[in-house]
Amino acid sequence: MNKDMKILVVDDFSTMRRIIKNLLRDLGFNNTHEADDGNTALPMLQSGHYDFLVTDWNMPGMQGIDLLRAVRADPNMATLPVLLVTAESKKDQIVMAAEAGVNGYIVKPFTAATLEEKIKKIFERIEASK
Amino acid sequence: MSDNSNVDDKSLSLAKELVVALEANESDKANHLISAIAEHNDAGIFKEVGKITRGLHDKLVSFESDLGVSDIDESEIHDAKLRLSYVIEKTSEAADQTLTIIESFMPSIDRQGKESESLINEWQKFTGKELSADEFRCLAKRVTDYLNESNALNADYKAGLNEIIVAQGFQDITGQIIKKVINLVQEVEDSLVRVIKCTGGEKSTRKITSSIDELEGPVVPSLKTNEFVSNQDEVDDLLSSLGF
């Protein structure tokens, strides 16, 4: 796993963005950027050559699930690893995210260990499939 | 409604008189008749307002009847109370967690602060060649102990600070819950506005639609059903059943 990879953290709550950025920094990832909803995130992703997207689901403007779908529909970003970190814990929604092509799903509130484990798993899978 | 036939007869006769007046070009009389017809209809509107007001009142007081005034029902008001209680619970949990960690750090920070101050003094004596060989051996041991303790504490501090960071997640969870309650309050307000509109003589036909988000938001434990997962393990199980 490349610790210098460029990561975009998308959440409408700035506190949550700070929490995720701090946890990522603790895991050795320092190249993190922020957006407050899908509408802000999408152009950043299109032009910014990101390696990893961590997004909330429920946001004003464009929601996380729609951002995920937009990413998957764009040939340049279709394989971008996406981790949803959300308070949405309805089974139907988890299934919906899986169908939309999410790489990992974390329910809030979560621990630093969960975040680390899911990120590791996502990149192990990607390595294995290469 | 037994009044209905009378009402219709009266409307009809007023309308006929209006036609006659208009044909005779008697504009004063015609205007008077139009007002009479309008007043006549207002009686119906007031009756309707009375019904809606009664309906809303019954709903707010007893939460039992559903007269179609709005989509708010007993369970939503009850849910709002549980949601707000959960906000209190989460904020107090986060504050307790943060304070507990900070308090646990205090004794070692104090101890290390005093020890480093004392070591600086001793070290100055050593560099000034004021220490005997025995005193230096004693100082060397204290320096070693201090460095070992610092090293161990550093890991504790880092772990504790990370726990404090994670505890701040309450702001996001409680913020989402409070937004939902605000939406419910908005809905109640919309219903009341509708009543006011009716009393103003303007019968609103707009259906009050629920402004509550389609998304469920954070799960409040006391409102949880088996449609929801309760922890990360259940998410993982569900995803692995889907081939993840």
Side-chain angles (χ1 to χ4, degrees):
Chain A
M1 199 175 4
N2 173 17
K3 296 274 183 185
D4 293 327
M5 68 177 170
K6 195 172 175 187
I7 305 174
L8 184 63
V9 178
V10 191
D11 199 305
D12 53 331
F13 281 86
S14 63
T15 341
M16 187 44 74
R17 292 200 299 272
R18 279 176 63 189
I19 292 170
I20 294 174
K21 279 186 76 167
N22 272 299
L23 294 176
L24 287 172
R25 195 190 52 212
D26 194 53
L27 297 174
F29 302 103
N30 288 300
N31 193 4
T32 49
H33 302 260
E34 296 177 42
D36 61 1
D37 84 325
N39 288 328
T40 323
L42 194 56
M44 290 174 77
L45 290 166
Q46 281 161 343
S47 59
H49 305 288
Y50 283 88
D51 303 302
F52 187 34
L53 169 63
V54 180
T55 181
D56 183 24
W57 184 318
N58 189 4
M59 296 177 285
M62 189 195 261
Q63 302 209 335
I65 189 77
D66 297 319
L67 178 63
L68 169 63
R69 288 179 179 136
V71 164
R72 290 289 172 260
D74 185 327
N76 294 322
M77 300 189 284
T79 59
L80 176 73
V82 179
L83 174 64
L84 264 168
V85 179
T86 172
E88 301 305 322
S89 56
K90 212 173 182 180
K91 289 174 185 166
D92 291 351
Q93 287 178 293
I94 299 168
V95 173
M96 193 192 289
E99 285 169 355
V102 82
N103 298 78
Y105 197 109
I106 294 178
V107 282
K108 292 174 187 171
F110 61 99
T111 64
T114 304
L115 184 69
E116 182 175 16
E117 183 201 323
K118 297 305 158 200
I119 293 175
K120 267 190 184 159
K121 207 168 156 191
I122 288 172
F123 287 95
E124 273 167 19
R125 281 238 168 92
I126 290 169
E127 279 303 310
S129 67
K130 269 180 187 169
Chain B
M1 286 219 284
S2 58
D3 290 352
N4 258 356
S5 59
N6 293 337
V7 168
D8 287 345
D9 286 349
K10 196 173 178 198
S11 293
L12 188 62
S13 71
L14 284 169
K16 278 178 181 166
E17 278 183 57
L18 178 61
V19 171
V20 172
L22 287 172
E23 279 173 351
N25 216 5
E26 295 174 47
S27 60
D28 283 352
K29 195 179 176 191
N31 285 339
H32 177 74
L33 283 164
I34 289 167
S35 303
I37 291 168
E39 270 172 36
H40 187 61
N41 285 340
D42 277 350
I45 290 169
F46 283 123
K47 213 179 260 179
E48 188 63 20
V49 170
K51 272 201 305 198
I52 292 171
T53 310
R54 164 61 57 190
L56 185 60
H57 174 76
D58 286 351
K59 178 161 292 190
L60 290 174
V61 171
S62 70
F63 301 129
E64 278 170 6
S65 56
D66 182 6
L67 300 180
V69 172
S70 80
D71 298 331
I72 302 153
D73 61 22
E74 177 187 2
S75 65
E76 278 180 85
I77 300 283
H78 182 63
D79 285 4
K81 289 184 199 164
L82 291 176
R83 282 181 206 283
L84 291 178
S85 306
Y86 189 58
V87 167
I88 297 171
E89 204 183 297
K90 291 307 284 180
T91 48
S92 118
E93 202 178 280
D96 284 347
Q97 208 179 341
T98 304
L99 292 172
T100 305
I101 295 165
I102 293 170
E103 282 165 6
S104 76
F105 287 167
M106 287 306 182
S108 63
I109 289 174
D110 280 349
R111 193 175 59 242
Q112 285 240 308
K114 281 183 191 134
E115 181 66 1
S116 62
E117 212 180 314
S118 155
L119 285 174
I120 288 168
N121 285 335
E122 290 295 295
W123 192 257
Q124 275 167 352
K125 283 186 200 163
F126 168 68
T127 54
K129 299 188 191 338
E130 294 167 33
L131 287 189
S132 70
D134 276 353
E135 281 170 330
F136 176 73
R137 267 192 292 278
C138 176
L139 173 63
K141 191 185 175 307
R142 279 176 61 196
V143 169
T144 309
D145 289 349
Y146 179 83
L147 291 176
N148 283 334
E149 198 193 14
S150 282
N151 194 37
L153 283 172
N154 198 276
D156 287 352
Y157 292 156
K158 215 170 162 193
L161 290 175
N162 268 330
E163 273 182 62
I164 290 174
I165 288 171
V166 173
Q168 307 316 304
F170 82 89
Q171 199 274 337
D172 167 70
I173 301 285
T174 56
Q176 289 190 52
I177 291 170
I178 290 171
K179 270 187 186 171
K180 275 195 171 281
V181 176
I182 290 172
N183 282 338
L184 178 67
V185 171
Q186 178 70 51
E187 228 185 308
V188 172
E189 189 192 354
D190 286 350
S191 297
L192 294 171
V193 165
R194 192 178 159 198
V195 169
I196 291 163
K197 273 189 180 165
C198 285
T199 55
E202 188 186 312
K203 190 173 178 187
S204 169
T205 51
R206 186 174 63 89
K207 162 130 179 35
I208 307 255
T209 51
S210 171
S211 54
I212 285 181
D213 298 340
E214 280 172 38
L215 289 170
E216 295 293 335
V219 172
V220 177
S222 44
L223 298 174
K224 196 173 82 68
T225 68
N226 63 6
E227 281 176 84
F228 297 92
V229 295
S230 26
N231 53 47
Q232 186 64 39
D233 286 343
E234 288 187 30
V235 178
D236 297 346
D237 288 348
L238 178 59
L239 286 174
S240 66
S241 75
L242 296 166
F244 264 70

